[in-house]
Amino acid sequence: MAHDSPHGPPPAYDAIVVAGGGARRLGGADKPALTVGGRALLDRVLAACRDAATTVVVGPRRPAYRPVVRVREDPPGGGPLAALDAGLRHTGRDTVLVLSADVPFLRRSTVRELLDVRDGDDGTVAVLGDRDQPLVAAYRAEPLRRELALLRTEYDRLGGLPLRLLLPGLRLRRTAAADAADCDTWEDVAAARARIREHDHVLDEWTEAVKAELGIDLDVDVDELLAVARDAAHGVARPAAPLTTFLVGYAAGRRGDASPETVSELARKAAELAKRWEAETDAG
């Protein structure tokens, strides 16, 4: 099972999460608060940008699993351009990641790709199929502010203007991102809830949900821990599997260094012990 684990320090950036809108296609439901896999859509997006220096959530006040700056667009419900303008007023980094609050499966590797803004470009935008996703993108802050100011001057407002007006004045690199799909309808929500229970996704999704619930920020190698559990179950006894994985985590916490490298080291030690145990049993 592949595990999404970006490498190296993240580039310095701020994040703006657009969490307003009337969700008319959802009958007026509070879309960012809807859950997929027991986690609010907003929280799932916040997890994808958890290494942002500052995260600004634009929209009505809602609970969030981590600290954020909360602001409202002017006027409230004024649309994505007004939301971007409000969010930018609370950022200070040269690069700003912009995300919609209804993208449940956005990977951190895609966030890294978006943040790779090349020389001569004003940003990177995700493309889903043949459509640009300007609310799954990273922009240089100054060109973004410039274009918003120009639109305000031209139309005497930002509220109610379509988002497509923003892109023509920006030089953007485009990158395909299948995980940029959003949840606009109840059918989309139902499909997302079904997807997390599929065999290829369920363990990664459950791991991410538990980490968020317990306040753990650790890249876990699921394959490695499952291998330890398998060795313990096969070489010792079936109940040894969950007990061994618990002890690996507890040992990492006791060290005060619960890094992926530490967990891997401890998992290898436990796996080797299980194999030695099994070898003795076979010899006996």
Side-chain angles (χ1 to χ4, degrees):
M1 180 186 306
H3 181 72
D4 177 29
S5 177
H7 299 285
Y13 72 100
D14 290 332
I16 299 173
V17 179
V18 177
R24 288 184 296 274
R25 296 171 70 184
L26 288 168
D30 185 6
K31 181 162 59 170
L34 294 177
T35 61
V36 170
R39 301 163 65 202
L41 290 175
L42 174 60
D43 282 346
R44 296 178 70 90
V45 172
L46 290 176
C49 61
R50 60 182 177 266
D51 48 15
T54 299
T55 302
V56 184
V57 175
V58 187
R61 193 171 188 85
R62 304 178 182 88
Y65 91 99
R66 66 176 180 84
V68 297
V69 177
R70 303 172 187 274
V71 301
R72 287 304 310 265
E73 65 274 36
D74 183 21
L81 293 181
L84 286 178
D85 183 61
L88 275 171
R89 297 174 188 273
H90 296 269
T91 64
R93 300 281 178 171
D94 293 336
T95 301
V96 179
L97 179 73
V98 173
L99 299 175
S100 174
D102 62 350
V103 186
F105 297 112
L106 186 67
R107 299 188 302 269
R108 295 182 73 192
S109 56
T110 298
V111 168
R112 292 296 180 88
E113 176 66 20
L114 294 173
L115 291 169
D116 183 20
V117 179
R118 311 288 172 81
D119 290 342
D121 288 338
D122 295 327
T124 311
V125 63
V127 177
L128 181 64
D130 59 354
R131 292 190 301 117
D132 289 341
Q133 302 287 85
L135 293 185
V136 184
Y139 302 95
R140 296 193 192 277
E142 286 311 309
L144 185 58
R145 289 189 176 96
R146 178 197 68 216
E147 289 305 307
L148 289 172
L150 289 173
L151 289 171
R152 186 191 294 277
T153 299
E154 182 176 357
Y155 293 94
D156 198 33
R157 60 186 172 87
L158 290 175
L161 294 181
L163 186 60
R164 59 181 170 75
L165 294 176
L166 179 67
L167 299 189
L170 297 170
R171 298 185 303 273
L172 298 173
R173 181 173 70 89
R174 287 164 169 81
T175 182
D179 53 328
D182 54 11
C183 287
D184 277 339
T185 66
W186 286 115
E187 289 77 11
D188 295 337
V189 174
R193 288 172 173 170
R195 174 184 168 179
I196 65 168
R197 290 170 173 79
E198 293 173 358
H199 175 73
D200 291 343
H201 301 288
V202 65
L203 287 179
D204 279 339
E205 287 290 342
W206 174 247
T207 300
E208 290 300 315
V210 172
K211 288 194 300 182
E213 193 73 15
L214 300 181
I216 302 169
D217 187 8
L218 171 68
D219 288 321
V220 177
D221 190 325
V222 174
D223 287 340
E224 193 164 46
L225 289 181
L226 289 178
V228 173
R230 182 190 63 237
D231 291 341
H234 180 71
V236 184
R238 292 182 69 86
L243 178 60
T244 303
T245 53
F246 164 76
L247 292 172
V248 167
Y250 182 77
R254 289 280 293 178
R255 280 195 181 189
D257 173 26
S259 65
E261 294 76 19
T262 296
V263 175
S264 293
E265 175 196 346
L266 295 169
R268 282 193 298 270
K269 287 185 176 181
E272 289 166 2
L273 174 62
K275 290 174 182 176
R276 294 199 303 271
W277 186 294
E278 180 183 13
E280 288 182 6
T281 303
D282 290 344

